[in-house]
Every structure is written in C-alpha cells, then in structure tokens.
C-alpha cells in the first residue's frame, strides 16, 4: 500500500455499521445516513485544521467561506508596523494606512464579511477548523483510524434507534408453562448503546491531544494536516 491513503466511501462505512449492528425489525433502515451523522460528529469533536486563501478585493466586503468550514482560528494578513507608519501588504505593493485604522471581520452563515469595506486588494490566509465533506460519496480526508472511531459513534446511533424502537415493547405474558418477558429488551440495547458511546469517547482522547494548541472553541480541538 505504501504511503497512499485509502479513500473511505460512505457506502463502505454503512456496510461496516450494518455488520456491527444488524437491523432489528428494519431498524435502523438507513445506515448511510447514520454513517454520515457519525462522521459529522467526529468532525465536531476532532476537526481537521487547514487553511484557505481569501482573495480580498477593494470594494468587496463579503467572501464565501470554504464548503467544509466549521469555525475560524485566525485570519492572517493584518496590517504590519506600528505607530504612525502601518501598511497592508497588498497585491500591488505596500498600502499605507492611518494609525487609527481598524478592521473587523464577521462570520455570517457561509460568508466572511470585512468591516470597513476593503480599499486594498490582497490574498489573505484563513486558518480554520474543517469538517469532513464527502466528494462523490467518498471522504478524501478521512483516515482509516478516523473511520474506525466514527463508526463507534455510528454504532451508538444505530443501537439508540433500536432501543427507542422497542421501548414500547415492555410486555410479558405467561400461558401455562410458557412465559415470554420482553421488559428488559430496551434496557439491554440501551446498555449496549451506552457502551458504544463510551468506546467512542475513549477513542477520541488520543486524537484530540494533537491539535490542542490550535483550540479556539473551548469544546473543540483539531488535528493538523
């Protein structure tokens, strides 16, 4: 296999999940959705730390964020210098600005907005936490280990659906020598779901350690790529 990374497809993840938690009475009935939800949860807990170039253009205040954007870490390319002499390094050279000039930026939905409207043109680097986004049904950045961890959460989701489905089946009967007791069924599956969630949380810990220095969101840490 060498150094080439195997690509992980949603269909593969769904198949793994179905083998780990076979359906009970057609529950769950959509393993692909559960697999995608599990990868999304992994993205929230251990986002990929990456960068994108924002091509700032004079007169344009808003810019589209990358499709996989979760939250901002840093927008680089702010003015350099101090005191009365400050400059922006623009595409057409150094642009002097006053000492009282301040720029603020906002994340608004899928857009980044600069205030005031830029009077300069420059390529700026946005450092951000990214989620795993499937391209043609494949997650290009998801490692085999990441897939393994995500599917622990997928098992939790699948078992939770099964536990909820049998929650109303808490009945028992006895006819002569024959007795059937289904009262413990939901609790048993719920216990399996809790165990799967604990396994997922334990598997997260070593992954979260790598990116802690990039933490901005107090509940989220990332992995540098």
């Amino acid at each position: 296999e060498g150094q080439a990374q195997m690509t992980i497809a949603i269909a593969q993840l769904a198949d793994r999940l179905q083998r780990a938690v076979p359906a009970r009475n057609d529950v769950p009935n959509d393993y692909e959705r559960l697999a995608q939800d599990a990868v999304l949860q992994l993205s929230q807990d251990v986002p990929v730390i990456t960068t994108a170039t924002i091509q700032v253009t004079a007169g344009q205040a808003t810019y589209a964020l990358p499709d996989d954007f979760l939250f901002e870490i840093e927008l680089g390319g702010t003015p350099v210098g101090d005191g009365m002499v400050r400059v922006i390094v623009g595409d057409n050279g150094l642009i002097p600005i006053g000492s009282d000039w301040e720029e603020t930026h906002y994340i608004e939905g899928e857009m980044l907005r600069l205030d005031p409207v830029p009077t300069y043109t420059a390529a700026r680097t946005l450092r951000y936490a990214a989620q795993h986004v499937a391209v043609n049904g494949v997650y290009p950045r998801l490692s085999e280990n990441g897939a393994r961890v995500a599917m622990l959460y997928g098992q939790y989701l699948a078992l939770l659906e099964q536990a909820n489905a049998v929650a109303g089946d808490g009945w028992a009967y006895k006819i002569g020598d024959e007795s059937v007791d289904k009262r413990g069924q939901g609790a048993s599956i719920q216990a399996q779901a809790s165990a799967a969630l604990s396994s997922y949380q334990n598997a997260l810990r070593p992954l979260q350690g790598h990116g802690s220095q990039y933490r901005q969101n107090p509940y989220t840490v990332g992995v540098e790529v």
Side-chain angles (χ1 to χ4, degrees), residues 39-116:
V39 172
L40 181 59
Q41 185 64 47
L42 181 73
S43 293
Q44 298 283 345
D45 291 328
V46 194
V48 175
I49 305 301
T50 187
T51 59
T53 299
I54 303 292
Q55 187 58 57
V56 178
T57 305
Q60 180 181 334
T62 58
Y63 301 85
L65 291 166
D67 292 341
D68 59 359
F69 181 88
L70 267 181
F71 63 86
E72 176 197 349
I73 294 173
E74 179 187 25
L75 178 62
T78 48
V80 295
D82 52 29
M84 297 298 292
V85 183
R86 294 169 76 209
V87 296
I88 292 174
V89 181
D91 288 359
N92 51 353
L94 301 180
I95 304 160
I97 53 173
S99 59
D100 58 347
W101 183 88
E102 280 187 28
E103 181 186 76
T104 308
H105 66 275
Y106 303 93
I107 303 296
E108 299 172 336
E110 297 175 351
M111 305 296 288
L112 178 145
R113 178 169 64 88
L114 298 174
D115 182 31

Side-chain angles (χ1 to χ4, degrees), residues 12-196:
Q12 284 177 284
L13 297 178
D15 181 59
R16 286 189 204 180
L17 199 50
Q18 189 164 8
R19 282 185 278 118
V21 186
R24 290 166 166 257
N25 299 322
D26 202 32
V27 177
N29 61 10
D30 190 347
Y31 284 95
E32 290 208 352
R33 176 183 57 80
L34 291 181
Q36 291 175 78
D37 287 349
V39 172
L40 181 59
Q41 185 64 47
L42 181 73
S43 293
Q44 298 283 345
D45 291 328
V46 194
V48 175
I49 305 301
T50 187
T51 59
T53 299
I54 303 292
Q55 187 58 57
V56 178
T57 305
Q60 180 181 334
T62 58
Y63 301 85
L65 291 166
D67 292 341
D68 59 359
F69 181 88
L70 267 181
F71 63 86
E72 176 197 349
I73 294 173
E74 179 187 25
L75 178 62
T78 48
V80 295
D82 52 29
M84 297 298 292
V85 183
R86 294 169 76 209
V87 296
I88 292 174
V89 181
D91 288 359
N92 51 353
L94 301 180
I95 304 160
I97 53 173
S99 59
D100 58 347
W101 183 88
E102 280 187 28
E103 181 186 76
T104 308
H105 66 275
Y106 303 93
I107 303 296
E108 299 172 336
E110 297 175 351
M111 305 296 288
L112 178 145
R113 178 169 64 88
L114 298 174
D115 182 31
V117 177
T119 55
Y120 62 91
T121 295
R124 298 180 63 177
T125 299
L126 174 68
R127 191 174 179 81
Y128 69 100
Q131 60 187 315
H132 291 285
V133 175
V135 180
N136 298 322
V138 170
Y139 290 108
R141 284 177 168 163
L142 185 62
S143 68
E144 177 56 45
N145 190 50
R148 179 187 65 80
V149 174
M151 286 309 94
L152 292 173
Y153 193 82
Q155 289 177 41
Y156 162 70
L157 294 177
L159 289 163
L160 200 59
E161 280 198 14
Q162 291 182 347
N164 290 338
V166 301
D169 291 347
W171 48 266
Y173 68 81
K174 183 172 172 125
I175 302 174
D177 292 335
E178 181 189 358
S179 63
V180 176
D181 190 341
K182 289 209 167 189
R183 286 173 297 193
Q185 188 174 239
S188 171
I189 303 172
Q190 180 69 53
Q192 292 177 55
S194 297

